[in-house]
């Protein structure tokens, strides 16, 4: 699989497809150790060398599982990203409860927002301990939506120091919005940004702010949430489809179905087109897809390898279903 160097940090190379490890933290339901290990094994065999995790995912479970699954792999052959901004504080009095933030794990810790210098250092130290890694290749600020000042004035400078010391390879932010990510590009010294759900086949808001800014500054963009948390993940979206982690509005389901119908006339499915669309933009360096087991990895690889006719994008635009039409990344 092709790996692309971050323009500002060429020593960090991300494969076109990245492994999203949130399900390794029991996102929505339990994932067994065996299922997660098979996911990593299958992805590795397919050539995937970029793996993304976070303390938030299962209160550290995802980091522990990912570190264990990669432990015997050659360290210089893969890239791991994790995130800072939510410190995990022990909460033994709640250990008999289940986590209330979407992960099927005991509530043995609570998340505390902290984008201070000390919080960043403590978070990375804890992540290194959980993963067993000697370094983290990429560190993102995790959802700093309500913490711009502290994130930009304290967390980013702390990460810059760690990057300069070689403790981390590249730094940035990961969010479910594009406007603040564009602001990070314009006002801070970041190398790569993860944008979830705002540049997809269904909506292309990031094409108006983040992607042009990133292209101008040479900042790499990783696209996550390519299926808009579920709505674009099936060939025909059902009436109970999920969008942005909630029940999808009827008008969005109808729009997704119209996109699917056009895709079918060109011999591709909605999820195949969703994966193909995002990587056409020259600022996009990788696409991260969440997977739970080996079977999901195999299906993702099948979708990822599908050749989508170039004419599809023009047909969708002509039907009023697609606003952004960047040229193929090969021409970038």
């Amino acid at each position: 699989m092709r790996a692309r160097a971050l323009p500002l940090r060429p020593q960090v190379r991300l494969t076109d497809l990245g492994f999203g490890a949130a399900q390794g933290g029991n996102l929505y339901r339990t994932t067994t150790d065996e299922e997660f290990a098979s996911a990593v094994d299958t992805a590795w065999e397919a050539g995937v060398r970029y793996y993304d995790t976070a303390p938030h995912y299962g209160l550290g479970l995802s980091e522990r599982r990912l570190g264990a699954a990669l432990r015997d792999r050659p360290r210089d052959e893969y890239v791991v990203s994790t995130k800072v901004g939510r410190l995990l504080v022990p909460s033994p009095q709640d250990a008999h409860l289940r986590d209330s933030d979407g992960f099927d794990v005991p509530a043995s810790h609570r998340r505390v927002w902290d984008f201070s210098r000390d919080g960043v250092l403590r978070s990375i130290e804890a992540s290194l301990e959980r993963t067993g890694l000697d370094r983290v290749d990429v560190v993102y600020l995790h959802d700093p939506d309500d913490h711009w000042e502290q994130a930009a004035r304290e967390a980013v400078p702390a990460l810059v120091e760690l990057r300069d010391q070689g403790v981390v390879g590249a730094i940035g932010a990961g969010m479910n919005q594009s406007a603040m990510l564009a602001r990070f590009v314009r006002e801070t010294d970041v190398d790569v940004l993860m944008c979830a759900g705002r540049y997809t086949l269904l909506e292309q808001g990031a094409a108006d702010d983040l992607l042009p800014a990133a292209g101008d500054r040479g900042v790499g963009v990783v696209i996550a949430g390519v299926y808009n948390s579920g709505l674009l993940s099936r060939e025909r979206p059902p009436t109970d489809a999920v969008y942005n982690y909630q029940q999808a509005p009827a008008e969005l389901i109808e729009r997704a179905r119209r996109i699917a119908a056009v895709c079918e006339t060109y011999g591709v499915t909605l999820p195949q087109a969703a994966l193909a669309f995002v990587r056409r933009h020259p600022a996009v360096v990788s696409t991260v897809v969440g997977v739970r087991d080996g079977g999901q990895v195999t299906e993702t690889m099948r979708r990822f390898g599908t050749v989508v006719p170039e004419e599809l994008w023009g047909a969708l635009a002509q039907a009023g279903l697609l606003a952004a039409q960047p040229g193929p990344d090969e021409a970038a």
Side-chain angles (χ1 to χ4, degrees):
M1 183 180 293
R2 183 180 65 168
R4 299 180 62 177
L6 295 180
L8 299 178
R9 304 292 158 189
Q11 75 278 16
V12 179
R13 300 178 60 83
L14 308 181
T15 45
D16 279 346
L17 185 66
F19 181 109
Q23 281 88 338
N26 290 358
L27 179 64
Y28 303 134
R29 62 181 177 84
T30 297
T31 301
T32 67
D33 291 342
E34 293 75 19
E35 286 174 329
F36 187 75
S38 76
V40 174
D41 289 344
T42 306
W44 185 273
E45 291 167 6
V48 175
R49 295 294 184 270
Y50 173 34
Y51 299 84
D52 176 70
T53 183
H56 170 57
Y57 303 156
L59 296 173
L61 178 60
S62 173
E63 288 188 317
R64 291 192 295 272
R65 280 176 162 167
L66 184 62
L70 293 173
R71 192 152 297 145
D72 295 329
R73 320 277 183 182
R75 182 62 185 92
D76 291 337
E77 292 188 15
Y78 61 86
V79 167
V80 169
S81 60
T82 192
K83 306 177 183 75
V84 297
R86 290 175 171 95
L87 286 177
L88 303 183
V89 178
S91 183
Q93 68 276 13
D94 297 321
H96 64 289
L97 303 174
R98 306 304 287 177
D99 178 52
S100 60
D101 222 338
F103 296 89
D104 186 16
V105 295
S108 58
H109 291 70
R110 57 187 177 89
R111 302 167 179 86
V112 177
W113 290 104
D114 191 339
F115 289 96
S116 69
R117 173 186 171 80
D118 179 65
V120 166
L121 298 178
R122 289 170 57 195
S123 184
I124 292 177
E125 181 180 9
S127 289
L128 289 173
E129 182 176 346
R130 283 189 290 267
T131 60
L133 298 174
D134 59 343
R135 68 182 187 276
V136 178
D137 302 289
V138 180
V139 177
Y140 297 111
L141 307 178
H142 201 179
D143 297 334
D145 304 67
D146 299 324
H147 307 273
W148 164 261
E149 286 299 326
Q150 190 177 50
R153 310 307 173 207
E154 295 187 45
V156 171
L159 290 177
V160 167
E161 288 184 31
L162 294 175
R163 184 186 63 195
D164 292 346
Q165 295 167 6
V167 178
V168 301
I171 64 173
M175 305 179 72
N176 291 285
Q177 60 153 295
S178 61
M180 188 178 287
L181 289 177
R183 189 177 179 188
F184 274 109
V185 173
R186 294 190 299 265
E187 300 183 30
T188 71
D189 183 13
V190 293
D191 310 305
V192 59
L193 297 165
M194 178 176 283
C195 181
R198 304 287 77 81
Y199 187 69
T200 71
L201 192 57
L202 187 67
E203 57 179 287
Q204 298 93 47
D208 297 327
D209 45 33
L210 171 61
L211 293 174
D216 290 344
R217 294 286 295 273
V219 173
V221 177
V222 174
I223 297 297
V226 64
Y227 300 134
N228 283 117
S229 72
L231 182 52
L232 302 179
S233 65
R234 299 190 193 181
E235 296 184 14
R236 280 284 176 168
T239 55
D240 61 348
V242 174
Y243 167 79
N244 272 9
Y245 313 106
Q246 298 178 354
Q247 168 65 43
E251 60 270 20
L252 284 185
I253 294 176
E254 178 56 28
R255 180 180 178 85
R257 287 174 174 173
R258 290 176 62 200
I259 294 173
V262 176
C263 290
E264 287 174 5
T265 66
Y266 285 86
V268 297
T269 67
L270 181 62
Q272 288 170 348
L275 268 177
F277 171 74
V278 298
R279 66 178 184 267
R280 299 176 74 246
H281 197 288
V284 174
V285 294
S286 184
T287 304
V288 168
V289 177
V291 287
R292 190 178 300 275
D293 54 36
Q296 288 189 359
V297 174
T298 298
E299 175 60 21
T300 299
M301 294 306 305
R302 185 185 68 80
R303 293 174 175 178
F304 189 78
T306 300
V307 177
V308 176
E310 190 68 19
E311 295 78 13
L312 170 62
W313 316 120
L316 288 171
Q318 189 173 9
L321 297 169
L322 184 62
Q325 289 189 82
D329 59 4
E330 288 81 1

